Every structure is written in C-alpha cells, then in structure tokens.
Amino acid sequence: MAWRGFLKGVAIFALIMGSIIVLWFGVAQMLFGRPWMRFGGLAMVVGAFRGIILAFDLMWGRPPAFSKEPWDRPWEREPRRPPDY
C-alpha cells in the first residue's frame, strides 16, 4: 500500500507540474507565436486545464471528468452502517 500511494503521489505531481509547464508554454505561444502557432497554443492551454482537472479528480478519488457520469459516486449511495445494525 505504501508503494501504491507513493507512486500515485509521484504520478499526480508529474501530471500537475507537466500541465503547468504546458499551460505557460501555450500562453507564450498565443502571445508571441506566429498566427498559425496560436491555434496550437490554444490547444495546449485547453489540454493543460483538462490535465489539471484530471489530476485533482484522481487525487481526490473521484471519477475522472471524462467519464459519462462524473456525478455518479457509488460510495455515496452505500450506507455507512454495517448490515443488521
């Protein structure tokens, strides 16, 4: 369990840091790039925001935002009391 948590933390850290780097690179492309490069910069900014959302969804244990029903959380439907309580 300890290795699983450690690897999950490293993966989420890498996803967030990579998204931040891509976000700033995309902003730089949109501001200083040639006209055809601005579309790529816009795609980078959108992708970086989606990456940050995915990282926080994975960190909090929620279903990814890309799923068909992100509001469906099975653990909230289950009763907290044990059966026959």
Side-chain angles (χ1 to χ4, degrees), residues 40-56:
L42 181 64
M44 284 185 223
V45 169
V46 170
F49 274 118
R50 295 301 295 176
I52 291 171
I53 291 170
L54 176 65
F56 283 117

Side-chain angles (χ1 to χ4, degrees), residues 3-44:
W3 280 107
R4 181 179 172 205
F6 174 74
L7 292 176
K8 181 179 177 181
V10 168
I12 289 174
F13 175 77
L15 185 60
I16 290 174
M17 287 297 120
S19 294
I20 290 172
I21 291 169
V22 169
L23 177 72
W24 282 106
F25 189 70
V27 168
Q29 289 292 330
M30 287 188 339
L31 292 176
F32 305 113
R34 296 183 180 183
W36 60 271
M37 295 171 76
R38 292 183 180 170
F39 292 111
L42 181 64
M44 284 185 223

